[in-house]
Amino acid sequence: MNRAFSRKKDKTWMHTPEALSKHYIPYNAKFLGSTEVEQPKGTEVVRDAVRKLKFARHIKKSEGQKIPKVELQISIYGVKILEPKTKEVQHNCQLHRISFCADDKTDKRIFTFICKDSESNKHLCYVFDSEKCAEEITLTIGQAFDLAYRKFLESGGKDVETRKQIAGLQKRIQDLETENMELKNKVQDLESQLRITQVSTSPAGSVTPKSPSTDIFDMIPFSPISHPASMPTRNGTQPPPIPSRSTEIKRDLFGAEPFDPFNCGAGDFPPDIQSKLDEMQRQRWRGSKWD
């Protein structure tokens, strides 16, 4: 029992044992912060820590920063420091790691306790500002120590070891939850990067080819360099083959043979016209013979 508690033990405790052993006592305060100290206990040790954190608080106040408010939950298992609105645990100081607790007699609003950090094994002094409850909070922590010590004697030390194991498991669960959340965030970031990479590096050939444009009559425009074999089919049928042009018979653009009066058969014209055509044919024959 440290000095801060020994001078209070002759006073009547403020809470019932059930309130601290089965539940917790909540308090609201302002959290000035924590700082490392060289010794696990001592009035001068906490006084230097308070002076240091008060100076840091004045600097932050001049910069427009407010002192954060916290909720303290005190029980025989320790002191939890929570964010008052979200109830998120910021620090979980197990009771067996708290080595010293005291309120400042020169400043009735200030109270502190020293706790050994479970990870770094360094002694940290936590400093709080409570305008009305500083001494009451110190007494409540002292009562929690008294009840925990009595329970330790009744159980022969087994209860303390059980609480240590439970506290260790709770810390492990909290670490796993934090690690799980970090892994989820990394997976989401990787999925986002993968989607961006797939969109930016998609091959041009993967784009669905567009069908040839058609005119107002839904016909494919004529191209002199297009080959019949490259013409697409319509409605699943192959277009009819283009008839080959004969080198012997020339046809007009309507597919008809050009008119030749000398190739017409007899009886196609009246007698007078037919006789003139025959005469012209003979003259044409003579001319070609002499040529």
Side-chain angles (χ1 to χ4, degrees), residues 56-278:
R57 181 188 67 174
H58 286 303
I59 294 178
K60 291 181 179 180
K61 188 176 181 179
S62 64
E63 295 174 351
Q65 299 183 22
K66 295 182 179 181
I67 304 175
K69 297 180 179 179
V70 295
E71 177 182 327
L72 301 177
Q73 294 181 357
I74 303 173
S75 68
I76 63 172
Y77 300 104
V79 179
K80 289 185 178 180
I81 305 173
L82 298 87
E83 205 284 327
K85 293 183 178 180
T86 63
K87 302 300 180 182
E88 180 183 357
V89 178
Q90 298 178 350
H91 303 278
N92 185 10
C93 302
Q94 301 167 13
L95 200 67
H96 68 275
R97 290 185 174 273
I98 297 177
S99 56
F100 189 82
C101 180
D103 53 89
D104 191 348
K105 294 307 175 183
T106 61
D107 191 344
K108 298 294 184 180
R109 302 175 305 173
I110 302 298
F111 69 95
T112 67
F113 64 82
I114 299 177
C115 180
K116 188 176 183 180
D117 186 67
S118 59
E119 295 182 356
S120 63
N121 286 326
K122 296 179 180 179
H123 292 93
L124 302 177
C125 183
Y126 294 81
V127 181
F128 302 88
D129 184 337
S130 179
E131 186 175 354
K132 298 179 180 180
C133 304
E135 185 177 3
E136 181 180 337
I137 294 173
T138 304
L139 284 171
T140 303
I141 296 176
Q143 184 180 0
F145 266 101
D146 183 70
L147 291 173
Y149 182 68
R150 291 180 184 180
K151 199 169 184 180
F152 168 76
L153 295 177
E154 293 173 358
S155 63
K158 295 180 180 179
D159 185 65
V160 175
E161 294 299 325
T162 302
R163 288 206 306 269
K164 288 183 179 180
Q165 293 177 4
I166 293 175
L169 292 174
Q170 290 177 344
K171 182 66 169 58
R172 179 58 178 164
I173 290 173
Q174 186 176 358
D175 293 341
L176 289 175
E177 289 178 350
T178 304
E179 184 179 355
N180 187 32
M181 184 62 65
E182 293 176 354
L183 290 175
K184 285 183 178 179
N185 294 334
K186 289 182 179 179
V187 169
Q188 292 177 357
D189 294 340
L190 289 175
E191 289 178 350
S192 301
Q193 294 177 5
L194 181 60
R195 286 194 294 268
I196 295 174
T197 304
Q198 289 177 344
V199 172
S200 60
T201 60
S202 58
S206 62
V207 180
T208 305
K210 295 183 179 180
S211 58
S213 58
T214 57
D215 57 14
I216 59 174
F217 300 105
D218 198 26
M219 300 291 290
I220 300 176
F222 171 75
S223 176
I225 61 174
S226 61
H227 193 271
S230 63
M231 297 288 288
T233 60
R234 288 188 175 271
N235 299 327
T237 59
Q238 188 72 21
I242 300 176
S244 60
R245 297 185 178 182
S246 174
T247 57
E248 299 177 359
I249 302 176
K250 296 182 179 180
R251 299 179 183 275
D252 59 12
L253 57 87
F254 299 103
E257 297 180 7
F259 172 74
D260 188 356
F262 301 105
N263 292 334
C264 296
D268 293 339
F269 302 98
D272 55 343
I273 295 177
Q274 185 65 42
S275 62
K276 291 181 180 181
L277 290 174
D278 293 339

